[in-house]
Structures are given as C-alpha cells and as structure tokens.
Amino acid sequence: MKLGGKFDNVDEIAEFTRLRKWQYGEVPPGWLGKTDAFGNITIRPGLTGRKLEETVRHESVHSFFSPSPGLLGNIRAYIGLWAYKNVHLAQYLEEAIAETYGTGSLLIGLSFPIRTGYVSAGRVILEGAAYTAIVGASAYVGQKIGEALFI
C-alpha cells in the first residue's frame, strides 16, 4: 500500500513499515506515540488515518535505532538513552530522520525537533561545530602522524 493509503489493521502497517509491530497503549499526554529503549512501539489509542500512519513510521525509526535486549543490548540502550537526553545533536538527528520518514517531507523533518521544542537550534549548531572541529582536528593529526611514520 502506498504512502497515504488506508490500513485495516496493525499487521498491514507493520508490513508497510517493514520494521517492528506496534500496539495501542498509554503514552504521555500530548504524545501520539513512544518507543522504549528496546524498540517496542506504543501508539495513543484512537489514533487513525494519516496521523496513525505518520506516527507509526516516525516511531519505527526510533525502533530501528534501538538494540535488542541482552547484556550488550542493555549497555547500548543505556548509552543511547543518555546520548538522546544529553546530546542535542544526537536527539536532533534522530528526531529529524524519524519525522522525515514519518511525513515524507524533508523540510518538515528538519524543522520538527526545533519547532516542537525537543532541542534548541543554538545548542545543535554549537554541538555540530564542536563535533566538526574534533573530527577535523583528529583527521589532521592522524594525517601528520601517518606522514611522519611512513615518509
């Protein structure tokens, strides 16, 4: 079924997203859906139509980035949740990807994390600049070490 089509049941949407199945259940007030640390998707009861489709697609991205339970999965889940809650750049990227996939619109996706208050634009820009500087400096130092060792 194409984007924007109607679905009759949970299995049809799960097949459409080709990711994890979901269930209706309690979500925080004002939220349409949520995904836990291990990728289990919960959708607000009563959500239907296009909003349901967009929400399931959005949450399926969070599910995709979630690890499976187990020792390493538990550690990865903890680190991922910490990064999501403390690193604005990480949260911005995940939410922007999720909303872009959910709505099918790059512009809506890129503006979503800032427009909805998930992150501040200033902090995302600051963290992005810091990340770029660190990666750039590391590449430069690595190149210089390589030149010194092999020339």
Side-chain angles (χ1 to χ4, degrees):
M1 181 149 296
K2 64 182 176 147
L3 182 65
K6 295 185 179 180
F7 299 97
D8 294 326
N9 60 48
V10 172
D11 293 329
E12 284 183 23
I13 294 179
E15 182 180 331
F16 177 72
T17 62
R18 290 185 213 103
L19 294 169
R20 299 183 190 212
K21 291 186 178 185
W22 56 273
Q23 64 184 5
Y24 284 114
E26 293 303 313
V27 298
W31 290 21
L32 301 178
K34 69 177 182 177
T35 302
D36 70 16
F38 297 105
N40 300 306
I41 299 171
T42 304
I43 302 296
R44 185 180 79 197
L47 202 58
T48 60
R50 178 84 173 165
K51 264 306 182 209
L52 173 61
E53 181 181 336
E54 288 178 358
T55 302
V56 170
R57 289 173 59 89
H58 177 108
E59 295 302 329
S60 71
V61 171
H62 295 304
S63 180
F64 175 79
F65 286 127
S66 301
S68 299
L71 178 60
L72 293 178
N74 290 348
I75 293 169
R76 189 172 151 229
Y78 175 78
I79 292 169
L81 285 174
W82 180 89
Y84 183 85
K85 291 180 179 182
N86 294 290
V87 180
H88 281 221
L89 182 61
Q91 186 176 15
Y92 173 82
L93 291 172
E94 186 169 329
E95 288 297 337
I97 292 167
E99 192 66 8
T100 297
Y101 182 64
T103 63
S105 169
L106 180 61
L107 291 177
I108 291 172
L110 292 175
S111 67
F112 175 78
I114 295 168
R115 182 173 38 82
T116 57
Y118 276 99
V119 296
S120 72
R123 184 146 169 205
V124 170
I125 291 167
L126 179 65
E127 289 178 5
Y131 176 78
T132 301
I134 290 168
V135 170
S138 298
Y140 178 78
V141 169
Q143 178 189 5
K144 292 300 179 189
I145 290 171
E147 288 173 358
L149 293 175
F150 299 109
I151 293 182

